[in-house]
Each structure stands twice: as structure tokens, then as C-alpha cells.
Amino acid sequence: QVQLMESGGGLVQAGKSLKLSCAASGNVAGLWRMGWYRQAPGKERELVANIMFGIDRRTNYADSVKGRFTISWDNAVNTLFLQMNSLKPEDTAVYYCNFVHTLSTMTYWGQGTQVTVSA
């Protein structure tokens, strides 16, 4: 079992920055993929960015956030980060941290953290 604890959400002005954190605990050994997803009112949950823990820490970003957001993993504190720069009102959503064991496909989700960007 994997536990995910998110923090860092809040209310910010457009053009500013925010950094989300997701502390992971439990069975985080082996091959895994982690990511950030978001869901805005009336919209489906969508992938924001993910990272594959393998030979290379390959990353993938939604087109809407490329060049603005950066996903990273810190082994020292077992924490996933999402650095969000140049925030737009369209980025307003509940952001969820996700963990997937690539072999078993077992999936875990954080509780979500609200990000609100004012114009």
C-alpha cells in the first residue's frame, strides 16, 4: 500500500507561481510511475505531468502546461513536486497526486489539493 499526502495548494494571482508537494510512503520500491492530474468543474480529470522511475526519469507534460510546469522527484524525502509558473485562470482545478506500480498496475491517489488562480 502507498500513501500520498499533498500540500501546497492555494489561491494565487495570474502570472504568479506555486509549488505542489506529494509525500509518498509505504511500498514505493521497484518500478513505478507518478504523476499530477487535475479536474476542473464540469471537466474530466486530465493528466498534467508524469514521471517514470526507471533508467531515466522520463517526464511527460500536457501541451497546455509545457514550458510552464516542471515535475520532479526527490529521493531524499520521497516527495514528488510540481513547480507551476506563469499560472493562468485556466489552471484552476483540484490537483491530484497519482502513483502506479508498473508491474501490478496497482494505482493510488492523493486526496487532492485545490489550486485557484485569480485573474
Side-chain angles (χ1 to χ4, degrees):
Q1 187 172 321
V2 174
Q3 296 82 44
L4 305 172
M5 181 61 68
E6 298 151 315
S7 62
L11 173 64
V12 298
Q13 293 179 304
K16 299 300 182 180
S17 298
L18 197 63
K19 190 173 186 177
L20 305 183
S21 300
C22 175
S25 60
N27 185 20
V28 297
L31 300 176
W32 53 258
R33 179 178 69 249
M34 292 191 72
W36 290 96
Y37 290 72
R38 67 186 182 187
Q39 187 167 24
K43 297 183 179 180
E44 62 190 17
R45 187 174 298 186
E46 64 177 355
L47 172 70
V48 176
N50 62 16
I51 183 169
M52 180 73 73
F53 190 79
I55 297 175
D56 294 323
R57 290 184 179 179
R58 293 191 174 277
T59 58
N60 182 58
Y61 296 90
D63 289 340
S64 60
V65 306
K66 286 181 179 177
R68 298 190 297 122
F69 291 10
T70 302
I71 188 171
S72 62
W73 169 260
D74 189 341
N75 261 111
V77 291
N78 281 350
T79 300
L80 183 74
F81 298 97
L82 183 67
Q83 177 66 51
M84 304 184 292
N85 298 325
S86 301
L87 283 163
K88 306 174 181 179
E90 303 94 285
D91 296 317
T92 296
V94 177
Y95 284 70
Y96 298 91
C97 181
N98 169 262
F99 181 104
V100 179
H101 282 292
T102 55
L103 292 180
S104 69
T105 71
M106 292 295 293
T107 303
Y108 304 89
W109 292 93
Q111 68 276 43
T113 184
Q114 178 71 49
V115 172
T116 302
V117 184
S118 62

